[in-house]
Amino acid sequence: TFLLAHSYVVSSRVTGMLGIRHNVFRQAQSHPYIRYLWRRMRRFDEQTGMVTAGIPLTVTTVATITVATIMLDRQFELRDMRMRSMGRREISLEEEHQAMREFLKGTEDEYEMKHIPDTYRYSR
């Protein structure tokens, strides 16, 4: 029932895999409109290369743009969060300094200059 091709250099449309001429999938392609669409798509692809090259390139491009956009967005978000936390730290430090100044202003009245005894000086 299977006929082997006499030559391996026979057109791929005439022979299938391993040089066998019998089309195993003919029943699956039995609907004429499906066969017509398949032939049209193959012809379109031979002329333009849109199916074999265009679709994979489009998918790769879209995936790359999507991933790059997500990565850049995350980087900008992290940078913004870092700047905000630094701003909050600077504000809290400024508040602490202001509170310390207010405290020290209150102690200026109690401060007085006293002479240090010579026994506690290192230089003499």
mmCIF file of all heavy atoms in Angstrom, residues 61-101:
data_model
loop_
_atom_site.group_PDB
_atom_site.id
_atom_site.type_symbol
_atom_site.label_atom_id
_atom_site.label_comp_id
_atom_site.label_asym_id
_atom_site.label_seq_id
_atom_site.Cartn_x
_atom_site.Cartn_y
_atom_site.Cartn_z
ATOM 1 N N THR A 61 9.092 40.770 19.431
ATOM 2 C CA THR A 61 9.153 42.221 19.635
ATOM 3 C C THR A 61 8.175 42.663 20.715
ATOM 4 O O THR A 61 8.529 43.443 21.607
ATOM 5 C CB THR A 61 8.848 42.955 18.320
ATOM 6 O OG1 THR A 61 9.770 42.511 17.318
ATOM 7 C CG2 THR A 61 8.958 44.446 18.487
ATOM 8 N N VAL A 62 6.941 42.175 20.642
ATOM 9 C CA VAL A 62 5.934 42.556 21.638
ATOM 10 C C VAL A 62 6.351 42.090 23.035
ATOM 11 O O VAL A 62 6.233 42.833 24.017
ATOM 12 C CB VAL A 62 4.547 42.002 21.243
ATOM 13 C CG1 VAL A 62 3.553 42.123 22.384
ATOM 14 C CG2 VAL A 62 4.036 42.714 20.019
ATOM 15 N N ALA A 63 6.860 40.862 23.137
ATOM 16 C CA ALA A 63 7.300 40.346 24.431
ATOM 17 C C ALA A 63 8.465 41.173 24.980
ATOM 18 O O ALA A 63 8.498 41.506 26.173
ATOM 19 C CB ALA A 63 7.705 38.876 24.306
ATOM 20 N N THR A 64 9.422 41.528 24.127
ATOM 21 C CA THR A 64 10.565 42.322 24.564
ATOM 22 C C THR A 64 10.126 43.707 25.033
ATOM 23 O O THR A 64 10.584 44.187 26.080
ATOM 24 C CB THR A 64 11.587 42.460 23.410
ATOM 25 O OG1 THR A 64 11.970 41.155 22.978
ATOM 26 C CG2 THR A 64 12.800 43.235 23.846
ATOM 27 N N ILE A 65 9.251 44.341 24.279
ATOM 28 C CA ILE A 65 8.769 45.674 24.664
ATOM 29 C C ILE A 65 8.006 45.598 25.981
ATOM 30 O O ILE A 65 8.172 46.452 26.863
ATOM 31 C CB ILE A 65 7.906 46.271 23.539
ATOM 32 C CG1 ILE A 65 8.785 46.637 22.350
ATOM 33 C CG2 ILE A 65 7.131 47.479 24.032
ATOM 34 C CD1 ILE A 65 8.019 47.046 21.111
ATOM 35 N N THR A 66 7.184 44.572 26.150
ATOM 36 C CA THR A 66 6.417 44.420 27.385
ATOM 37 C C THR A 66 7.331 44.231 28.589
ATOM 38 O O THR A 66 7.177 44.902 29.611
ATOM 39 C CB THR A 66 5.444 43.228 27.266
ATOM 40 O OG1 THR A 66 4.614 43.416 26.125
ATOM 41 C CG2 THR A 66 4.610 43.071 28.513
ATOM 42 N N VAL A 67 8.294 43.329 28.467
ATOM 43 C CA VAL A 67 9.211 43.067 29.582
ATOM 44 C C VAL A 67 10.052 44.297 29.886
ATOM 45 O O VAL A 67 10.251 44.658 31.058
ATOM 46 C CB VAL A 67 10.097 41.840 29.270
ATOM 47 C CG1 VAL A 67 11.220 41.699 30.279
ATOM 48 C CG2 VAL A 67 9.255 40.582 29.248
ATOM 49 N N ALA A 68 10.550 44.973 28.853
ATOM 50 C CA ALA A 68 11.364 46.178 29.079
ATOM 51 C C ALA A 68 10.545 47.272 29.746
ATOM 52 O O ALA A 68 11.040 47.971 30.648
ATOM 53 C CB ALA A 68 11.931 46.676 27.749
ATOM 54 N N THR A 69 9.285 47.429 29.329
ATOM 55 C CA THR A 69 8.428 48.441 29.950
ATOM 56 C C THR A 69 8.195 48.134 31.419
ATOM 57 O O THR A 69 8.277 49.027 32.270
ATOM 58 C CB THR A 69 7.078 48.510 29.207
ATOM 59 O OG1 THR A 69 7.334 48.809 27.835
ATOM 60 C CG2 THR A 69 6.180 49.568 29.805
ATOM 61 N N ILE A 70 7.929 46.876 31.741
ATOM 62 C CA ILE A 70 7.705 46.489 33.137
ATOM 63 C C ILE A 70 8.965 46.716 33.961
ATOM 64 O O ILE A 70 8.907 47.242 35.082
ATOM 65 C CB ILE A 70 7.245 45.018 33.217
ATOM 66 C CG1 ILE A 70 5.842 44.884 32.622
ATOM 67 C CG2 ILE A 70 7.281 44.504 34.647
ATOM 68 C CD1 ILE A 70 5.379 43.464 32.420
ATOM 69 N N MET A 71 10.132 46.350 33.407
ATOM 70 C CA MET A 71 11.385 46.544 34.142
ATOM 71 C C MET A 71 11.665 48.023 34.385
ATOM 72 O O MET A 71 12.030 48.416 35.493
ATOM 73 C CB MET A 71 12.549 45.903 33.367
ATOM 74 C CG MET A 71 12.549 44.404 33.411
ATOM 75 S SD MET A 71 13.797 43.660 32.359
ATOM 76 C CE MET A 71 15.283 44.439 32.917
ATOM 77 N N LEU A 72 11.514 48.846 33.364
ATOM 78 C CA LEU A 72 11.766 50.279 33.524
ATOM 79 C C LEU A 72 10.784 50.912 34.500
ATOM 80 O O LEU A 72 11.173 51.753 35.326
ATOM 81 C CB LEU A 72 11.692 50.982 32.172
ATOM 82 C CG LEU A 72 12.878 50.732 31.245
ATOM 83 C CD1 LEU A 72 12.617 51.348 29.887
ATOM 84 C CD2 LEU A 72 14.140 51.301 31.840
ATOM 85 N N ASP A 73 9.528 50.511 34.429
ATOM 86 C CA ASP A 73 8.532 51.042 35.352
ATOM 87 C C ASP A 73 8.894 50.692 36.792
ATOM 88 O O ASP A 73 8.805 51.539 37.683
ATOM 89 C CB ASP A 73 7.151 50.489 34.998
ATOM 90 C CG ASP A 73 6.067 51.062 35.883
ATOM 91 O OD1 ASP A 73 5.978 52.306 35.961
ATOM 92 O OD2 ASP A 73 5.324 50.276 36.504
ATOM 93 N N ARG A 74 9.326 49.473 37.011
ATOM 94 C CA ARG A 74 9.719 49.048 38.363
ATOM 95 C C ARG A 74 10.939 49.838 38.839
ATOM 96 O O ARG A 74 11.007 50.230 40.012
ATOM 97 C CB ARG A 74 10.014 47.543 38.364
ATOM 98 C CG ARG A 74 10.304 46.987 39.715
ATOM 99 C CD ARG A 74 9.066 46.986 40.577
ATOM 100 N NE ARG A 74 9.395 46.419 41.866
ATOM 101 C CZ ARG A 74 8.852 46.794 42.993
ATOM 102 N NH1 ARG A 74 7.937 47.713 43.000
ATOM 103 N NH2 ARG A 74 9.194 46.227 44.120
ATOM 104 N N GLN A 75 11.903 50.063 37.952
ATOM 105 C CA GLN A 75 13.095 50.828 38.339
ATOM 106 C C GLN A 75 12.729 52.258 38.716
ATOM 107 O O GLN A 75 13.217 52.788 39.716
ATOM 108 C CB GLN A 75 14.117 50.837 37.194
ATOM 109 C CG GLN A 75 14.767 49.499 36.945
ATOM 110 C CD GLN A 75 15.575 49.036 38.131
ATOM 111 O OE1 GLN A 75 16.269 49.813 38.765
ATOM 112 N NE2 GLN A 75 15.474 47.760 38.451
ATOM 113 N N PHE A 76 11.856 52.899 37.920
ATOM 114 C CA PHE A 76 11.444 54.266 38.245
ATOM 115 C C PHE A 76 10.642 54.300 39.542
ATOM 116 O O PHE A 76 10.768 55.236 40.333
ATOM 117 C CB PHE A 76 10.635 54.876 37.101
ATOM 118 C CG PHE A 76 11.492 55.295 35.939
ATOM 119 C CD1 PHE A 76 11.207 54.852 34.658
ATOM 120 C CD2 PHE A 76 12.576 56.130 36.129
ATOM 121 C CE1 PHE A 76 12.001 55.241 33.589
ATOM 122 C CE2 PHE A 76 13.360 56.522 35.068
ATOM 123 C CZ PHE A 76 13.073 56.077 33.802
ATOM 124 N N GLU A 77 9.829 53.278 39.772
ATOM 125 C CA GLU A 77 9.057 53.220 41.013
ATOM 126 C C GLU A 77 9.986 53.091 42.220
ATOM 127 O O GLU A 77 9.797 53.771 43.232
ATOM 128 C CB GLU A 77 8.095 52.038 40.948
ATOM 129 C CG GLU A 77 7.193 51.911 42.155
ATOM 130 C CD GLU A 77 6.265 50.712 42.051
ATOM 131 O OE1 GLU A 77 6.214 50.077 40.984
ATOM 132 O OE2 GLU A 77 5.601 50.417 43.052
ATOM 133 N N LEU A 78 10.999 52.225 42.106
ATOM 134 C CA LEU A 78 11.955 52.065 43.205
ATOM 135 C C LEU A 78 12.732 53.355 43.447
ATOM 136 O O LEU A 78 12.974 53.742 44.604
ATOM 137 C CB LEU A 78 12.918 50.919 42.906
ATOM 138 C CG LEU A 78 12.326 49.523 42.989
ATOM 139 C CD1 LEU A 78 13.345 48.488 42.526
ATOM 140 C CD2 LEU A 78 11.889 49.220 44.407
ATOM 141 N N ARG A 79 13.124 54.039 42.380
ATOM 142 C CA ARG A 79 13.848 55.297 42.529
ATOM 143 C C ARG A 79 12.978 56.334 43.230
ATOM 144 O O ARG A 79 13.432 57.059 44.121
ATOM 145 C CB ARG A 79 14.289 55.830 41.175
ATOM 146 C CG ARG A 79 15.041 57.157 41.284
ATOM 147 C CD ARG A 79 15.370 57.728 39.938
ATOM 148 N NE ARG A 79 16.363 56.899 39.272
ATOM 149 C CZ ARG A 79 16.731 57.057 38.019
ATOM 150 N NH1 ARG A 79 16.185 58.005 37.285
ATOM 151 N NH2 ARG A 79 17.637 56.282 37.480
ATOM 152 N N ASP A 80 11.699 56.409 42.843
ATOM 153 C CA ASP A 80 10.784 57.359 43.457
ATOM 154 C C ASP A 80 10.585 57.041 44.944
ATOM 155 O O ASP A 80 10.605 57.944 45.786
ATOM 156 C CB ASP A 80 9.442 57.330 42.726
ATOM 157 C CG ASP A 80 8.462 58.342 43.276
ATOM 158 O OD1 ASP A 80 8.848 59.529 43.377
ATOM 159 O OD2 ASP A 80 7.328 57.958 43.605
ATOM 160 N N MET A 81 10.420 55.763 45.266
ATOM 161 C CA MET A 81 10.256 55.374 46.671
ATOM 162 C C MET A 81 11.509 55.699 47.480
ATOM 163 O O MET A 81 11.416 56.144 48.629
ATOM 164 C CB MET A 81 9.936 53.878 46.775
ATOM 165 C CG MET A 81 8.544 53.533 46.303
ATOM 166 S SD MET A 81 8.206 51.764 46.148
ATOM 167 C CE MET A 81 8.792 51.113 47.680
ATOM 168 N N ARG A 82 12.685 55.500 46.885
ATOM 169 C CA ARG A 82 13.945 55.812 47.569
ATOM 170 C C ARG A 82 14.054 57.308 47.834
ATOM 171 O O ARG A 82 14.437 57.732 48.929
ATOM 172 C CB ARG A 82 15.107 55.313 46.710
ATOM 173 C CG ARG A 82 16.370 55.137 47.454
ATOM 174 C CD ARG A 82 17.445 54.374 46.684
ATOM 175 N NE ARG A 82 17.397 54.493 45.252
ATOM 176 C CZ ARG A 82 17.191 53.484 44.426
ATOM 177 N NH1 ARG A 82 16.977 52.278 44.880
ATOM 178 N NH2 ARG A 82 17.180 53.666 43.124
ATOM 179 N N MET A 83 13.682 58.120 46.846
ATOM 180 C CA MET A 83 13.742 59.575 47.027
ATOM 181 C C MET A 83 12.746 60.037 48.093
ATOM 182 O O MET A 83 13.054 60.916 48.899
ATOM 183 C CB MET A 83 13.462 60.291 45.705
ATOM 184 C CG MET A 83 14.529 60.077 44.652
ATOM 185 S SD MET A 83 16.153 60.614 45.160
ATOM 186 C CE MET A 83 15.925 62.364 45.114
ATOM 187 N N ARG A 84 11.562 59.449 48.111
ATOM 188 C CA ARG A 84 10.570 59.828 49.123
ATOM 189 C C ARG A 84 11.043 59.453 50.514
ATOM 190 O O ARG A 84 10.875 60.223 51.458
ATOM 191 C CB ARG A 84 9.231 59.156 48.834
ATOM 192 C CG ARG A 84 8.515 59.764 47.675
ATOM 193 C CD ARG A 84 7.177 59.128 47.484
ATOM 194 N NE ARG A 84 6.555 59.602 46.253
ATOM 195 C CZ ARG A 84 5.311 59.384 45.935
ATOM 196 N NH1 ARG A 84 4.535 58.702 46.746
ATOM 197 N NH2 ARG A 84 4.819 59.851 44.808
ATOM 198 N N SER A 85 11.630 58.266 50.669
ATOM 199 C CA SER A 85 12.092 57.855 51.997
ATOM 200 C C SER A 85 13.258 58.729 52.444
ATOM 201 O O SER A 85 13.364 59.072 53.625
ATOM 202 C CB SER A 85 12.478 56.377 52.011
ATOM 203 O OG SER A 85 13.623 56.149 51.218
ATOM 204 N N MET A 86 14.131 59.124 51.508
ATOM 205 C CA MET A 86 15.225 60.026 51.861
ATOM 206 C C MET A 86 14.667 61.383 52.278
ATOM 207 O O MET A 86 15.148 61.988 53.247
ATOM 208 C CB MET A 86 16.194 60.187 50.684
ATOM 209 C CG MET A 86 17.095 58.996 50.494
ATOM 210 S SD MET A 86 18.149 59.096 49.046
ATOM 211 C CE MET A 86 18.954 60.641 49.269
ATOM 212 N N GLY A 87 13.649 61.867 51.587
ATOM 213 C CA GLY A 87 13.014 63.136 51.945
ATOM 214 C C GLY A 87 12.395 63.063 53.333
ATOM 215 O O GLY A 87 12.531 63.986 54.139
ATOM 216 N N ARG A 88 11.728 61.941 53.643
ATOM 217 C CA ARG A 88 11.131 61.768 54.969
ATOM 218 C C ARG A 88 12.211 61.718 56.045
ATOM 219 O O ARG A 88 12.049 62.282 57.124
ATOM 220 C CB ARG A 88 10.296 60.485 55.011
ATOM 221 C CG ARG A 88 8.872 60.719 54.574
ATOM 222 C CD ARG A 88 8.007 59.500 54.822
ATOM 223 N NE ARG A 88 7.714 58.919 53.513
ATOM 224 C CZ ARG A 88 7.966 57.677 53.153
ATOM 225 N NH1 ARG A 88 8.483 56.836 53.997
ATOM 226 N NH2 ARG A 88 7.696 57.263 51.945
ATOM 227 N N ARG A 89 13.337 61.047 55.752
ATOM 228 C CA ARG A 89 14.436 60.983 56.733
ATOM 229 C C ARG A 89 15.007 62.366 56.985
ATOM 230 O O ARG A 89 15.285 62.733 58.127
ATOM 231 C CB ARG A 89 15.540 60.049 56.225
ATOM 232 C CG ARG A 89 15.337 58.631 56.682
ATOM 233 C CD ARG A 89 16.505 57.763 56.315
ATOM 234 N NE ARG A 89 16.055 56.919 55.221
ATOM 235 C CZ ARG A 89 16.740 56.651 54.130
ATOM 236 N NH1 ARG A 89 17.935 57.144 53.965
ATOM 237 N NH2 ARG A 89 16.255 55.881 53.200
ATOM 238 N N GLU A 90 15.200 63.135 55.917
ATOM 239 C CA GLU A 90 15.745 64.484 56.086
ATOM 240 C C GLU A 90 14.795 65.361 56.892
ATOM 241 O O GLU A 90 15.230 66.131 57.750
ATOM 242 C CB GLU A 90 16.017 65.115 54.721
ATOM 243 C CG GLU A 90 17.192 64.502 54.002
ATOM 244 C CD GLU A 90 17.355 65.034 52.587
ATOM 245 O OE1 GLU A 90 16.505 65.844 52.147
ATOM 246 O OE2 GLU A 90 18.317 64.636 51.927
ATOM 247 N N ILE A 91 13.493 65.227 56.650
ATOM 248 C CA ILE A 91 12.519 66.023 57.402
ATOM 249 C C ILE A 91 12.529 65.626 58.874
ATOM 250 O O ILE A 91 12.527 66.490 59.762
ATOM 251 C CB ILE A 91 11.107 65.854 56.786
ATOM 252 C CG1 ILE A 91 11.056 66.546 55.429
ATOM 253 C CG2 ILE A 91 10.034 66.406 57.709
ATOM 254 C CD1 ILE A 91 9.794 66.265 54.647
ATOM 255 N N SER A 92 12.578 64.315 59.158
ATOM 256 C CA SER A 92 12.582 63.886 60.558
ATOM 257 C C SER A 92 13.871 64.325 61.248
ATOM 258 O O SER A 92 13.850 64.734 62.417
ATOM 259 C CB SER A 92 12.401 62.373 60.673
ATOM 260 O OG SER A 92 13.520 61.702 60.138
ATOM 261 N N LEU A 93 15.019 64.275 60.536
ATOM 262 C CA LEU A 93 16.279 64.760 61.129
ATOM 263 C C LEU A 93 16.207 66.259 61.406
ATOM 264 O O LEU A 93 16.676 66.733 62.452
ATOM 265 C CB LEU A 93 17.455 64.465 60.196
ATOM 266 C CG LEU A 93 17.998 63.044 60.238
ATOM 267 C CD1 LEU A 93 19.071 62.867 59.170
ATOM 268 C CD2 LEU A 93 18.568 62.742 61.600
ATOM 269 N N GLU A 94 15.614 67.005 60.480
ATOM 270 C CA GLU A 94 15.470 68.445 60.680
ATOM 271 C C GLU A 94 14.582 68.727 61.892
ATOM 272 O O GLU A 94 14.879 69.630 62.682
ATOM 273 C CB GLU A 94 14.888 69.094 59.424
ATOM 274 C CG GLU A 94 14.835 70.607 59.462
ATOM 275 C CD GLU A 94 16.205 71.254 59.599
ATOM 276 O OE1 GLU A 94 17.167 70.739 59.009
ATOM 277 O OE2 GLU A 94 16.292 72.275 60.305
ATOM 278 N N GLU A 95 13.508 67.950 62.051
ATOM 279 C CA GLU A 95 12.645 68.118 63.220
ATOM 280 C C GLU A 95 13.402 67.811 64.504
ATOM 281 O O GLU A 95 13.248 68.509 65.513
ATOM 282 C CB GLU A 95 11.415 67.219 63.099
ATOM 283 C CG GLU A 95 10.424 67.681 62.053
ATOM 284 C CD GLU A 95 9.293 66.685 61.848
ATOM 285 O OE1 GLU A 95 9.337 65.586 62.453
ATOM 286 O OE2 GLU A 95 8.367 67.007 61.096
ATOM 287 N N GLU A 96 14.233 66.765 64.490
ATOM 288 C CA GLU A 96 15.032 66.434 65.676
ATOM 289 C C GLU A 96 16.015 67.560 65.995
ATOM 290 O O GLU A 96 16.202 67.922 67.162
ATOM 291 C CB GLU A 96 15.781 65.121 65.467
ATOM 292 C CG GLU A 96 14.905 63.899 65.502
ATOM 293 C CD GLU A 96 15.696 62.629 65.225
ATOM 294 O OE1 GLU A 96 16.947 62.666 65.285
ATOM 295 O OE2 GLU A 96 15.052 61.602 64.941
ATOM 296 N N HIS A 97 16.657 68.107 64.985
ATOM 297 C CA HIS A 97 17.608 69.214 65.206
ATOM 298 C C HIS A 97 16.879 70.429 65.779
ATOM 299 O O HIS A 97 17.407 71.092 66.687
ATOM 300 C CB HIS A 97 18.309 69.594 63.891
ATOM 301 C CG HIS A 97 19.373 68.642 63.489
ATOM 302 N ND1 HIS A 97 20.600 68.592 64.101
ATOM 303 C CD2 HIS A 97 19.401 67.691 62.527
ATOM 304 C CE1 HIS A 97 21.340 67.655 63.538
ATOM 305 N NE2 HIS A 97 20.631 67.079 62.572
ATOM 306 N N GLN A 98 15.699 70.716 65.233
ATOM 307 C CA GLN A 98 14.925 71.854 65.734
ATOM 308 C C GLN A 98 14.540 71.633 67.194
ATOM 309 O O GLN A 98 14.636 72.563 68.019
ATOM 310 C CB GLN A 98 13.677 72.073 64.866
ATOM 311 C CG GLN A 98 12.905 73.324 65.191
ATOM 312 C CD GLN A 98 13.720 74.582 64.916
ATOM 313 O OE1 GLN A 98 14.576 74.608 64.035
ATOM 314 N NE2 GLN A 98 13.466 75.610 65.697
ATOM 315 N N ALA A 99 14.119 70.415 67.547
ATOM 316 C CA ALA A 99 13.754 70.109 68.926
ATOM 317 C C ALA A 99 14.971 70.251 69.840
ATOM 318 O O ALA A 99 14.869 70.768 70.961
ATOM 319 C CB ALA A 99 13.169 68.706 69.016
ATOM 320 N N MET A 100 16.145 69.800 69.366
ATOM 321 C CA MET A 100 17.380 69.922 70.164
ATOM 322 C C MET A 100 17.736 71.394 70.357
ATOM 323 O O MET A 100 18.138 71.797 71.460
ATOM 324 C CB MET A 100 18.522 69.177 69.470
ATOM 325 C CG MET A 100 19.788 69.109 70.271
ATOM 326 S SD MET A 100 19.596 68.220 71.812
ATOM 327 C CE MET A 100 19.555 66.561 71.220
ATOM 328 N N ARG A 101 17.595 72.222 69.327
ATOM 329 C CA ARG A 101 17.878 73.659 69.462
ATOM 330 C C ARG A 101 16.950 74.305 70.487
ATOM 331 O O ARG A 101 17.391 75.108 71.311
ATOM 332 C CB ARG A 101 17.714 74.350 68.107
ATOM 333 C CG ARG A 101 18.886 74.180 67.191
ATOM 334 C CD ARG A 101 18.761 75.104 65.957
ATOM 335 N NE ARG A 101 19.364 74.440 64.839
ATOM 336 C CZ ARG A 101 18.724 73.895 63.810
ATOM 337 N NH1 ARG A 101 17.427 73.989 63.730
ATOM 338 N NH2 ARG A 101 19.361 73.291 62.853
#
